[in-house]
């Protein structure tokens, strides 16, 4: 509750407020609130005209106002370093990293958050692969190669199977992220960055996708080529940690879209 946070009710505290158009708007508390349910906020785009906003939604439970993080914390490469970890803080941090520095990867503890830039970025070259080879995750910047290297290293050290879970909305870049992880494995465990029999594992696995996706992919509001299948990809290594082969299973996940479509979508 708002009343339990003394900083929230302090005058001049910077906050995020839910907004229908911009999702979240930034501003500061213009005067000391007289209650825990309403505050006067001077928004950044019009600070001379403070607006009284409700702290909670119509249900009386959904919070609409959150404290902002200090500017010194903006753009951190690990979300757990933020003083306040909530939706607007996460979105703002990711936005600043991408808009200011074209950084699409951010840690959230052991989880890697990725933004789909919808453009090709020079982040996956052989030189970059070599910077992650053999390095521990905590000593590297956030990157899908860092996650792949951690799994590969732990597999060798512990002798146990490792799992990478790639999840996200339609069009978020799940297939491409899996592709880059397989490229890394092919480079460090397949005899180079793509050459040789083992180095083509990535290409062989991905080459099996178009046939299945020709029957299963469809257009959504966010993705013109959305996969209708979940994929379970296994890459097999020998005791020397070299790639021996791979297998892939597909699972139909969106049967409902065959019988029901949103406007602008196709099955």
């Amino acid at each position: 509750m708002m009343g339990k946070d003394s900083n929230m009710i302090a005058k001049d505290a910077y906050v995020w407020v839910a907004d229908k158009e911009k999702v979240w708007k930034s501003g500061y508390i213009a005067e000391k609130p007289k209650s825990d349910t309403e505050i006067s906020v001077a928004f950044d785009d019009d600070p001379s005209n403070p607006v009284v906003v409700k702290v909670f939604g119509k249900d009386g439970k959904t919070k609409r106002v959150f404290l902002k993080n200090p500017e010194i914390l903006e753009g951190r490469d690990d979300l757990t370093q933020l003083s306040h970890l909530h939706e607007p803080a996460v979105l703002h941090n990711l936005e600043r990293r991408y808009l200011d520095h074209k950084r699409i990867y951010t840690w959230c503890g052991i989880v890697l958050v990725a933004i789909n830039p919808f453009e090709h970025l020079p982040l996956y070259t052989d030189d970059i692969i070599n910077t992650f080879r053999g390095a521990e995750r905590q000593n590297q910047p956030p990157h899908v190669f860092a996650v792949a290297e951690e799994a590969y290293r732990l597999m060798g050290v512990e002798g146990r199977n490792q799992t990478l879970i790639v999840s996200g909305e339609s069009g978020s870049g799940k297939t491409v992220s899996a592709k880059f992880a397989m490229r890394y494995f092919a480079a460090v465990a397949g005899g180079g960055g793509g050459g040789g029999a083992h180095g083509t594992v990535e290409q062989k696995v991905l080459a099996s996708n178009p046939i299945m996706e020709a029957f299963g992919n469809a257009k959504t509001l966010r993705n013109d080529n959305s996969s209708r299948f979940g994929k379970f990809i296994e890459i097999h290594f020998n005791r020397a940690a070299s790639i021996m082969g791979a297998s892939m299973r597909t699972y139909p996940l969106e049967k409902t879209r065959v019988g029901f479509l949103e406007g602008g979508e196709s099955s």
Side-chain angles (χ1 to χ4, degrees):
M1 295 293 290
M2 180 180 172
K4 295 181 180 180
D5 192 337
S6 59
N7 292 323
M8 174 65 81
I9 62 174
K11 183 178 180 295
D12 297 328
Y14 282 85
V15 293
W16 291 106
V17 179
D19 182 75
K20 291 182 178 180
E21 295 183 1
K22 297 184 177 180
V23 185
W24 297 100
K25 290 183 65 174
S26 173
Y28 65 91
I29 298 178
E31 58 184 59
K32 184 175 180 179
K34 299 178 181 179
S35 72
D36 287 348
T37 59
E38 292 183 342
I39 56 175
S40 177
V41 178
F43 290 104
D44 294 347
D45 56 2
D46 190 10
S48 60
N49 295 300
V51 178
V52 176
V53 300
K54 294 185 179 298
V55 176
F56 299 98
K58 293 181 180 180
D59 60 4
K61 298 179 181 179
T62 304
K63 205 169 182 179
R64 301 183 64 253
V65 180
F66 294 89
L67 279 173
K68 289 189 66 175
N69 285 293
E71 289 187 5
I72 195 173
L73 296 180
E74 289 188 358
R76 289 301 177 99
D77 63 3
D78 192 332
L79 295 173
T80 62
Q81 297 175 354
L82 300 178
S83 299
H84 307 291
L85 189 58
H86 41 61
E87 180 181 322
V90 169
L91 294 176
H92 181 68
N93 195 76
L94 297 178
E95 180 185 46
R96 291 269 56 86
R97 287 178 59 77
Y98 177 66
L99 294 181
D100 294 346
H101 307 288
K102 287 288 186 178
R103 293 171 180 167
I104 64 172
Y105 294 115
T106 305
W107 292 121
C108 185
I110 63 173
V111 176
L112 180 69
V113 180
I115 292 176
N116 188 346
F118 291 97
E119 63 176 308
H120 294 289
L121 298 177
L123 301 177
Y124 312 100
T125 64
D126 290 343
D127 288 339
I128 292 180
I129 287 177
N130 289 330
T131 64
F132 287 93
R133 190 191 298 257
E136 295 188 4
R137 188 188 66 83
Q138 59 267 29
N139 298 325
Q140 294 296 322
H143 197 290
V144 64
F145 289 165
V147 176
E149 170 59 31
E150 181 80 351
Y152 181 72
R153 187 179 64 84
L154 290 177
M155 179 188 68
V157 172
E158 300 180 358
R160 299 173 59 184
N161 294 334
Q162 303 293 315
T163 302
L164 302 183
I165 299 176
V166 185
S167 65
E169 294 185 341
S170 175
S172 61
K174 299 182 293 296
T175 299
V176 175
S177 292
K179 170 184 175 180
F180 287 134
M182 287 187 288
R183 176 179 297 178
Y184 185 85
F185 293 136
V188 301
H198 295 311
T200 61
V201 168
E202 172 205 349
Q203 288 80 5
K204 289 179 179 179
V205 173
L206 294 177
S208 65
N209 285 355
I211 297 176
M212 179 64 71
E213 293 182 345
F215 295 96
N217 277 23
K219 179 182 178 180
T220 67
L221 297 178
R222 298 185 180 183
N223 188 358
D224 287 340
N225 191 37
S226 176
S227 175
R228 289 290 181 261
F229 295 87
K231 300 179 183 68
F232 181 69
I233 302 172
E234 290 182 314
I235 300 179
H236 309 289
F237 299 82
N238 61 17
R239 293 186 180 277
S242 297
I243 293 178
M244 298 299 294
S247 61
M248 181 175 66
R249 303 175 187 175
T250 58
Y251 303 89
L253 298 178
E254 298 185 348
K255 298 178 182 178
T256 56
R257 289 187 184 270
V258 176
F260 174 78
L261 300 175
E262 295 285 351
E265 294 189 346
S266 64
S267 63

